[in-house]
Amino acid sequence: MRIIISGAGVAGPTAAFWLSKAGHSVTIVERASVLEPIGQNIDVDGGALRVVQKMGLHEGLKKLNTTEIGTRFIRNDGKGAYASLPLVKGRTVSPTSENEILRGDLAMLLCSATRDDPNVRYLLGTTIEKIGEDQGAGGEGGLSPPLRVQLSNGDSEIYDACIVADGQWSRIRKEHFPAPTVVDKNAYIAYFTIPRTSVDQGWWELYHSLGSRVISTRPDAQGTTRGCFMKMPLNKEEKAVWEKASRSGSREAQNSLLKETFQDAGWESKRLLEGMVDARDFYFQALKQIRMPTWHDETTGRIACVGDAAYAPTPISGSGAVLAILGGYIIAGELSQLQAGQHPREAFEAYERNLRPYVEEVQNLPSFVPGVMMPRTWWQRTLLQNVIWAFAKFFSIPYFQPKETRHDESAFKLPLYPAFEKEGEAGSRMVDGNAA
Ligand SMILES: Cc1cc2nc3c(=O)[nH]c(=O)nc-3n(C[C@H](O)[C@H](O)[C@H](O)COP(=O)(O)OP(=O)(O)OC[C@H]3O[C@@H](n4cnc5c(N)ncnc54)[C@H](O)[C@@H]3O)c2cc1C
């Protein structure tokens, strides 16, 4: 089949790799004219880790590890930590996992796996302008007509299916699907890179300032520090201001709101604010989940959403990349199962049957999240800090440290597809971790 994918983030390149392996011809259009490694820590575990291993990218993943040694929580006066949760191999003690990687590095690594693949064509700085049915062509074997896709570079091309992997606010989704349910978790996050100083010791450090403001720094594999501000608006007026800044897409407006909000937040806030203004990367996100009634379109049955475009779970779920990788793998797997005369709709239905129960589980965050981790008043903060302190003390005792289960498939059993298993796994394929 000829398949077009919109978006070269995490889901898009994963789908492209597996579609190519099954012999399909793939075009990926990406809005950005240069692929840049933007974004901070994401988790790659469970079935998604297995997919990455099957792609032969495990060595690359390890090479790009952010080198984080654990998570610690900073005292109110900013002088040292009151609780530490070091990374313990084989144990689930720390929020820091063994596979810490930056979102941008992972996206580049996944792209590197198909960069030189003759079945995969990347069109950077290009978007899909319009999708319609190619009435003139007629479908093979009595199927509905294929898609005629108008690209922003002026080309008009024919495809059997379109995979929409262009993120949380996909324009194609808006045009071809009913409006999704957007679950607002009422919080905003800003990510950016700043120079590393001697203060940054290789830990993920979290500081809870009052007024539902959280500041964090994390190491990366590039020798810099990843800064982050998180904020929950406290009332309707604040909410309106944050929402306006978020929707404006203006870095200037977002930076100025962050400066106003965090200038008196304590700890490293001044350094982070200064660094943020000069940062080469800056990413601002409203924590909102996307929930679609169905992931493929009713009209043609040839357009399907994957990853954040279909089911953004928000960074607090820790599973955005996991769902994107699983989605890319499964949608490609189901398309590769189609026999002559079968419509892509059947593959899209099977993709949804396979993945939806797990997506719903992941998106089902308790209503007190993220509020409980972003205290507003001193007593909420004191309570939270006491819980964190007790938790860290308890789990510092090796006997009580639970076994690591994040890397096995207990949460989601990965389906296997004959077309992908043909030559065994691509385990020996070495992809340079520095490809990013
Ligand atoms: C720049 C950036 C930084 C991020 N940082 C973090 C982070 O630090 N932590 C975290 O938990 N999550 C982060 N996320 C979200 C995270 O990547 C997703 O939750 C998850 O990985 C799902 O991946 P995805 O491939 O579905 O979507 P994304 O990773 O969002 O990728 C979508 C891709 O589509 C492209 N695109 C958008 N519109 C169009 C269009 N019209 N036509 C063609 N291409 C288009 C985008 O440029 C992007 O490359 C970030 C996302 C982005 C885009």
Side-chain angles (χ1 to χ4, degrees):
M1 285 192 285
R2 300 150 296 180
I3 295 169
I4 186 160
I5 299 175
S6 176
V10 175
T14 307
F17 175 93
W18 291 107
L19 286 167
S20 163
K21 190 162 170 66
H24 301 296
S25 158
V26 182
T27 294
I28 302 193
V29 293
E30 165 57 49
R31 182 176 57 185
S33 45
V34 183
L35 290 176
E36 280 191 291
I38 304 179
Q40 299 196 2
N41 298 58
I42 46 167
D43 295 327
V44 180
D45 47 32
L49 180 62
R50 184 92 186 98
V51 172
V52 171
Q53 283 167 343
K54 285 164 78 68
M55 290 170 80
L57 299 176
H58 198 209
E59 284 307 312
L61 194 76
K62 284 202 258 179
K63 266 191 180 179
L64 292 167
N65 188 290
T66 62
T67 70
E68 192 168 290
I69 56 174
T71 306
R72 64 186 183 188
F73 298 86
I74 303 298
R75 284 164 33 157
N76 296 344
D77 61 8
K79 295 184 178 134
Y82 67 86
S84 303
L85 290 163
L87 172 64
V88 182
K89 238 178 170 326
R91 304 276 154 178
T92 311
V93 184
S94 177
T96 298
S97 93
E98 281 172 44
N99 295 318
E100 289 294 340
I101 184 167
L102 302 178
R103 179 257 172 210
D105 285 346
L106 177 67
M108 301 294 274
L109 182 69
L110 293 167
C111 283
S112 73
T114 45
R115 197 176 39 197
D116 302 322
D117 184 332
N119 286 344
V120 181
R121 176 174 67 134
Y122 278 87
L123 296 178
L124 300 183
T126 310
T127 56
I128 293 176
E129 292 296 291
K130 198 166 163 239
I131 310 177
E133 282 181 317
D134 189 58
Q135 300 296 349
E140 280 167 38
L143 296 179
S144 66
L147 303 172
R148 177 158 290 279
V149 178
Q150 183 71 46
L151 301 177
S152 60
N153 64 9
D155 291 347
S156 171
E157 300 178 352
I158 292 179
Y159 290 96
D160 299 295
C162 172
I163 296 179
V164 183
D166 49 21
Q168 199 176 3
W169 305 116
S170 169
R171 193 164 51 79
I172 302 176
R173 184 190 65 216
K174 209 170 166 189
E175 283 163 15
H176 291 270
F177 294 84
T181 303
V182 178
V183 180
D184 189 351
K185 298 306 287 181
N186 192 34
Y188 298 83
I189 303 191
Y191 306 104
F192 48 90
T193 306
I194 56 172
R196 191 177 292 187
T197 71
S198 57
V199 177
D200 309 322
Q201 297 283 320
W203 293 81
W204 178 10
E205 296 192 315
L206 281 148
Y207 179 77
H208 291 106
S209 184
L210 297 180
S212 300
R213 294 173 295 178
V214 180
I215 306 170
S216 113
T217 58
R218 305 183 82 159
D220 62 22
Q222 289 80 12
T224 43
T225 290
R226 303 291 167 142
C228 173
F229 290 123
M230 282 169 277
K231 164 75 184 165
M232 278 186 95
L234 302 180
N235 50 46
K236 268 191 190 161
E237 290 72 33
E238 275 197 8
K239 175 74 185 171
V241 172
W242 282 83
E243 194 56 23
K244 189 173 168 206
S246 170
R247 283 172 189 253
S248 75
S250 152
R251 175 167 176 175
E252 208 186 334
Q254 292 161 356
N255 280 5
S256 117
L257 180 58
L258 287 160
K259 273 197 239 165
E260 196 184 301
T261 308
F262 283 90
Q263 60 182 348
D264 62 348
W267 189 48
E268 291 286 294
S269 56
K270 288 212 162 65
R271 172 166 77 106
L272 263 72
L273 285 172
E274 278 164 21
M276 172 188 78
V277 176
D278 298 328
R280 59 174 165 73
D281 57 348
F282 177 80
Y283 182 66
F284 188 95
Q285 193 181 17
L287 261 61
K288 294 183 185 183
Q289 291 186 339
I290 298 296
R291 300 185 185 186
M292 297 176 76
T294 38
W295 298 341
H296 66 274
D297 78 312
E298 293 295 334
T299 319
T300 68
R302 291 181 181 271
I303 310 171
C305 294
V306 70
D308 271 13
Y311 33 77
T314 76
I316 44 169
S317 72
S319 298
V322 165
L323 295 186
I325 292 171
L326 290 176
Y329 169 85
I330 294 172
I331 202 166
E334 295 301 336
L335 283 166
S336 73
Q337 302 263 78
L338 289 181
Q339 305 295 317
Q342 281 190 294
H343 196 278
R345 185 193 301 275
E346 294 178 52
F348 293 156
E349 282 166 357
Y351 147 64
E352 187 158 344
R353 262 198 313 278
N354 262 307
L355 195 57
R356 188 177 273 278
Y358 184 53
V359 164
E360 285 178 357
E361 206 178 294
V362 168
Q363 287 194 325
N364 189 18
L365 298 171
S367 58
F368 55 81
V369 173
V372 72
M373 291 304 289
M374 303 180 72
R376 183 179 185 144
T377 60
W378 71 266
W379 69 265
Q380 286 173 342
R381 179 168 74 177
T382 307
L383 192 65
L384 173 71
Q385 289 175 330
N386 279 304
V387 171
I388 291 173
W389 178 85
F391 183 92
K393 275 275 167 261
F394 182 76
F395 287 111
S396 65
I397 305 163
Y399 181 78
F400 294 120
Q401 293 172 351
K403 272 218 169 79
E404 180 63 89
T405 52
R406 286 178 287 199
H407 309 322
D408 63 33
E409 289 179 46
S410 50
F412 179 79
K413 184 99 185 76
L414 196 69
L416 297 178
Y417 299 100
F420 298 166
E421 307 297 322
K422 270 189 289 194
E423 304 140 13
E425 293 190 3
S428 59
R429 181 185 174 132
M430 270 293 295
V431 175
D432 182 4
N434 296 324

